[in-house]
């Protein structure tokens, strides 16, 4: 019996992944190299420091911890220039009606994001008040694929993982939800998220019942 839905933020509710990409790429260019959109996929759901470590690895660059802290700060400043211009028009299509639909059914809502900027983004797009529990990069000590972010969300609502449905766009996020014993719905492409209980392209026209039916049908098909 599903009592709550836990939403990832970047890539599920808003497309901030494009701003992360621009800002990280600017940092890489600043350091004298570049990386592709394909490589950027590996940064989704991954914490700021883990992302920086991956990017430096791609560029074959070594930096001290103090220099890394400065580089992460530089990137975050560029990223924040974009998110501080966001408004409700950047909520992905279908998300607002789906949240309303869940609220009407009495389903509780939580946010589970790796981002330390999650509250700023929710404030900018006017969704802060819709979530009963908000767990973000400032609350966690272990980044996705560790399940901690979703476990803390379930705990804040006094629910068990089995009572919560997680929505995620990142491979690492689906891994995290599965490791925690949650039902996991991938939002995006089957090739990255095929290990989820169900993959949906977006939230347009979606109902909770359709999702639950989809999960069941997929489980029967895959035995
Ligand atoms: P910040 P999510 C994640 O958010 C992003 O997908 C990932 O690309 C980013 O590095 C991470 O947040 C940390 O973000 O630098 O703002 O703390 O998808 O878990 O909502
Ligand atoms: Mg995400």
């Amino acid at each position: 019996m599903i009592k709550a839905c836990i939403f990832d933020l970047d890539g599920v509710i808003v497309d901030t992944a494009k701003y992360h990409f621009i800002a990280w790429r600017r940092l890489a260019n600043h350091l004298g190299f570049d990386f592709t959109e394909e490589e950027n996929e590996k940064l989704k759901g991954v914490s700021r420091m883990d992302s920086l470590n991956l990017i430096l690895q791609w560029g074959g660059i070594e930096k001290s911890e103090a220099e890394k802290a400065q580089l992460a700060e530089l990137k975050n400043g560029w990223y924040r220039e974009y998110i501080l211009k966001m408004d409700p028009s950047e909520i992905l299509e279908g998300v607002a009606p789906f949240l309303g639909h869940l609220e009407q059914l009495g389903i509780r809502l939580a946010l589970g994001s790796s981002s330390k900027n999650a509250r700023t983004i929710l404030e900018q797009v006017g969704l802060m008040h819709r979530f009963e529990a908000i767990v973000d990069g400032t609350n966690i000590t272990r980044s996705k694929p560790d399940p901690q972010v979703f476990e803390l969300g379930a705990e804040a609502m006094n629910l068990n993982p089995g009572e919560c449905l997680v929505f995620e766009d990142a491979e690492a996020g689906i891994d995290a939800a599965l490791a925690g014993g949650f039902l996991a719905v991938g939002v995006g492409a089957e090739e990255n998220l095929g290990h989820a209980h169900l993959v949906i392209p977006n939230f347009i026209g979606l109902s909770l019942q359709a999702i639950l039916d989809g999960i069941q049908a997929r489980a029967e098909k895959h035995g």
Side-chain angles (χ1 to χ4, degrees):
M1 165 83 174
I2 292 301
K3 294 186 178 160
C5 289
I6 307 181
F7 290 83
D8 170 53
L9 178 63
D10 292 339
V12 168
I13 290 180
V14 287
D15 183 17
T16 35
K18 64 181 179 221
Y19 301 136
H20 278 297
F21 182 45
I22 296 170
W24 279 129
R25 210 167 163 207
R26 187 169 166 189
L27 189 80
N29 293 168
H30 170 78
L31 294 169
F33 66 98
D34 204 0
F35 66 90
T36 63
E37 208 157 348
E38 216 171 30
E39 285 173 305
N40 186 58
E41 274 302 308
K42 301 197 177 71
L43 305 179
K44 290 189 177 170
V46 174
S47 75
R48 195 181 306 167
M49 266 308 162
D50 290 350
S51 301
L52 177 62
N53 283 327
L54 274 173
I55 292 165
L56 291 176
Q57 207 178 303
W58 297 336
I61 290 180
E62 284 193 25
K63 292 281 177 194
S64 69
E65 289 309 309
E67 285 169 322
K68 281 189 205 171
Q70 275 179 357
L71 290 172
E73 198 47 48
L74 188 61
K75 179 266 174 178
N76 194 49
W78 290 331
Y79 176 65
R80 285 186 65 87
E81 282 174 22
Y82 290 103
I83 61 172
L84 289 173
K85 288 188 199 128
M86 289 178 80
D87 65 35
S89 71
E90 292 202 47
I91 299 171
L92 289 170
E93 203 185 343
V95 169
F98 185 61
L99 294 180
H101 162 70
L102 294 175
E103 283 163 345
Q104 274 191 343
L105 294 174
I107 299 290
R108 298 164 70 184
L109 305 180
L111 191 94
S113 165
S114 303
S115 174
K116 291 184 174 162
N117 292 298
R119 284 169 190 271
T120 306
I121 296 167
L122 286 178
E123 198 71 74
Q124 289 292 131
V125 302
L127 286 180
M128 190 73 139
H129 62 287
R130 303 290 284 273
F131 297 96
E132 170 183 342
I134 296 175
V135 183
D136 63 20
T138 65
N139 307 114
I140 56 174
T141 50
R142 298 184 302 274
S143 180
K144 298 166 187 174
D146 188 284
Q148 188 189 33
V149 67
F150 300 128
E151 285 169 350
L152 291 176
E155 251 173 65
M157 296 184 286
N158 257 315
L159 295 175
N160 296 317
E163 296 171 309
C164 307
L165 197 56
V166 168
F167 292 93
E168 252 296 345
D169 70 312
E171 204 176 317
I174 295 295
D175 291 339
L178 296 179
F182 294 85
L183 275 177
V185 178
V187 185
E190 187 74 39
E191 56 256 48
N192 312 322
L193 308 171
H195 53 317
H197 290 104
L198 182 71
V199 182
I200 56 172
N202 55 52
F203 291 97
I204 299 168
L206 212 63
S207 69
L208 179 63
Q209 196 54 54
I211 291 175
L212 297 175
D213 291 347
I215 290 175
Q216 201 183 338
R218 190 175 169 113
E220 281 165 10
K221 195 171 143 201
H222 291 209

